[in-house]
Amino acid sequence: MAISNELFKGTLQTIILHLLSENERMYGYEITQKVKSVTQGELLLKEGALYPALHKLEAAGLLETSTEIVDNRLRKYYALSKDGKAEVLNKLQEARDFIQNLQLLLNLKPSY
Amino acid sequence: MKLSKEELTEVSQYLFTLTRYQETYDELYDHVLSILEEREGPFDSRLIPELVNDNFGGHEQILKNEAISLEELNLSSGGLLMKETFSKLSAFKSFDNISLLCLCLVFYSQMTYGVFNPVFLIYAMFFAALYPILVYLYRTYFVNRSLVKPSMKNVFLLRIGLYGCFLSTAFYLLLLSPQRLFDITNYTRTVICLVLYYFSSIYIRSFHAFYKKKIKVFA
């Protein structure tokens, strides 16, 4: 069952920051593919939502970018900045607290 | 699928029409090619608009996202430039600021004796305001000459340059020009010139530091 994109919106930045904390640097397509593979296709991250979020994080100084020529085209890589490395911990804690509260509110039990 | 040179050109030509800025075009092009390269089967030109609509929400959405990204860049870069300017201002006791202040005092004493013409300070103020536009022209016609679309960073430089020019012209017409709108004494005009010169010098140094940190690394 595919998960609604509405549920995705509030956590998109956390997902991006977390993925980048696990990988030194990633480019846009790589991020979408990583989300797809980790969730086994349950979550499909649309590029139309991904890039504005990446640009917003970059503008906020949480991400740093670098470019490289790959197969005769320019590829933009994103990596966590110093501020981004600090922020990822806050965001993850925020997400954990939210999920905990959601479980309480909706009487959900973890599936594992 | 492996794309031929003609197919790559076809993809590039289609995507070229969809974006306004170079940065977005580069990301879109790399993304679409990455998707196509992972796909099995032969290339079909109908695939490109289909991919763009499914993944990026179509042409209008791309333009909307571009506008949002440009706004983010303007806000964050503008904020950084302000921060840089305030940090230079707050470092009042730094060697640069003290020497600048001394220079202003020398100009002041020279001007009160009528030896130094304040018009040179007005030129300096206009130069400081124009500096981002000069950098914009340098980047557009030398550094980024090979770019086929305007760069968002260059657009930002042009914007702050125009903003600075507007402010300097307003100061000039209101307070500094011989036919100025407000009737002020020559002494007051001299003091205003010196104050503007002081702040312009700090601004140009801040802009340079900001450019090295934020804009140059994006080049």
Side-chain angles (χ1 to χ4, degrees):
Chain A
M1 188 182 76
I3 294 166
S4 154
N5 278 342
E6 286 300 309
L7 292 174
F8 225 153
K9 277 183 187 168
T11 49
L12 188 52
Q13 291 195 357
T14 312
I15 293 168
I16 293 170
L17 289 173
H18 178 61
L19 285 176
L20 289 170
S21 73
E22 290 187 328
N23 299 274
E24 201 183 321
R25 60 175 199 168
M26 293 176 96
Y27 58 98
Y29 179 71
E30 196 182 2
I31 294 174
T32 60
Q33 292 311 101
K34 187 80 181 170
V35 169
K36 196 177 165 186
S37 74
V38 168
T39 63
Q40 292 168 337
E42 287 283 318
L43 283 183
L44 294 175
L45 180 50
K46 289 284 179 190
E47 291 76 356
L50 171 72
Y51 286 107
L54 283 171
H55 297 158
K56 197 170 181 174
L57 289 168
E58 186 191 353
L62 301 178
L63 299 185
E64 284 171 350
T65 56
S66 56
T67 48
E68 219 171 79
I69 305 280
V70 178
D71 293 335
N72 287 326
R73 60 183 190 260
L74 204 68
R75 177 163 289 168
K76 188 174 176 182
Y77 285 96
Y78 294 88
L80 286 182
S81 67
K82 206 177 162 191
D83 289 347
K85 280 175 190 161
E87 184 63 15
V88 72
L89 300 171
N90 296 334
K91 285 272 184 193
L92 282 176
Q93 191 52 48
E94 214 174 75
R96 267 187 219 111
D97 292 346
F98 178 71
I99 292 164
Q100 243 173 24
N101 287 322
L102 208 62
Q103 281 173 338
L104 288 172
L105 275 170
L106 305 177
N107 279 330
L108 298 173
K109 283 177 188 160
S111 59
Y112 47 83
Chain B
M1 68 179 80
K2 182 88 186 141
L3 276 78
S4 67
K5 219 172 181 179
E6 291 74 32
E7 287 163 348
L8 286 173
T9 313
E10 199 176 331
V11 175
S12 152
Q13 278 173 347
Y14 179 78
L15 298 179
F16 189 80
T17 58
L18 300 180
T19 63
R20 262 192 213 124
Y21 301 107
Q22 186 71 36
E23 290 89 344
T24 345
Y25 168 75
D26 288 335
E27 274 195 320
L28 184 68
Y29 182 62
D30 180 47
H31 199 105
V32 169
L33 283 188
S34 300
I35 297 175
L36 287 172
E37 281 165 359
E38 288 241 327
R39 283 209 174 187
E40 297 292 329
F43 174 78
D44 184 342
S45 56
R46 283 171 299 182
L47 266 175
I48 319 167
E50 199 182 295
L51 277 178
V52 168
N53 286 331
D54 288 352
N55 296 286
F56 291 89
H59 186 194
E60 268 186 36
Q61 193 57 44
I62 290 171
L63 292 179
K64 268 186 202 167
N65 288 344
E66 256 190 333
I68 294 169
S69 296
L70 182 66
E71 207 48 48
E72 297 279 356
L73 181 88
N74 282 337
L75 282 174
S76 71
S77 301
L80 276 174
L81 180 57
M82 292 268 277
K83 215 169 136 185
E84 197 66 54
T85 311
F86 283 124
S87 82
K88 288 261 187 294
L89 273 171
S90 60
F92 186 74
K93 287 175 186 165
S94 75
F95 176 74
D96 291 343
N97 285 2
I98 290 173
S99 11
L100 182 62
L101 205 62
C102 291
L103 192 64
C104 286
L105 287 173
V106 171
F107 286 152
Y108 175 76
S109 64
Q110 296 295 299
M111 279 192 284
T112 44
Y113 290 119
V115 182
F116 187 77
N117 190 345
V119 79
F120 293 109
L121 298 184
I122 297 173
Y123 290 155
M125 184 185 80
F126 272 107
F127 176 75
L130 271 171
Y131 186 60
I133 296 183
L134 296 177
V135 176
Y136 161 80
L137 293 172
Y138 166 70
R139 283 174 60 89
T140 307
Y141 295 104
F142 293 97
V143 181
N144 300 146
R145 199 174 42 183
S146 59
L147 298 188
V148 282
K149 279 175 177 279
S151 154
M152 281 189 190
K153 286 150 255 168
N154 291 352
V155 171
F156 169 75
L157 291 176
L158 182 64
R159 271 193 192 182
I160 52 162
L162 290 174
Y163 185 65
C165 283
F166 169 76
L167 272 181
S168 335
T169 311
F171 272 118
Y172 180 73
L173 293 175
L174 293 174
L175 302 163
L176 306 174
S177 121
Q179 293 85 31
R180 54 191 170 266
L181 201 66
F182 294 112
D183 191 22
I184 52 171
T185 61
N186 268 344
Y187 175 77
T188 316
R189 183 174 173 251
T190 304
V191 172
I192 291 172
C193 269
L194 284 169
V195 170
L196 288 175
Y197 173 75
Y198 182 81
F199 283 108
S200 303
S201 305
I202 286 181
Y203 167 74
I204 205 163
R205 275 194 282 133
S206 315
F207 175 80
H208 201 69
F210 157 80
Y211 176 77
K212 279 204 285 189
K213 274 187 209 163
K214 180 84 180 168
I215 304 287
K216 210 175 175 184
V217 288
F218 283 171

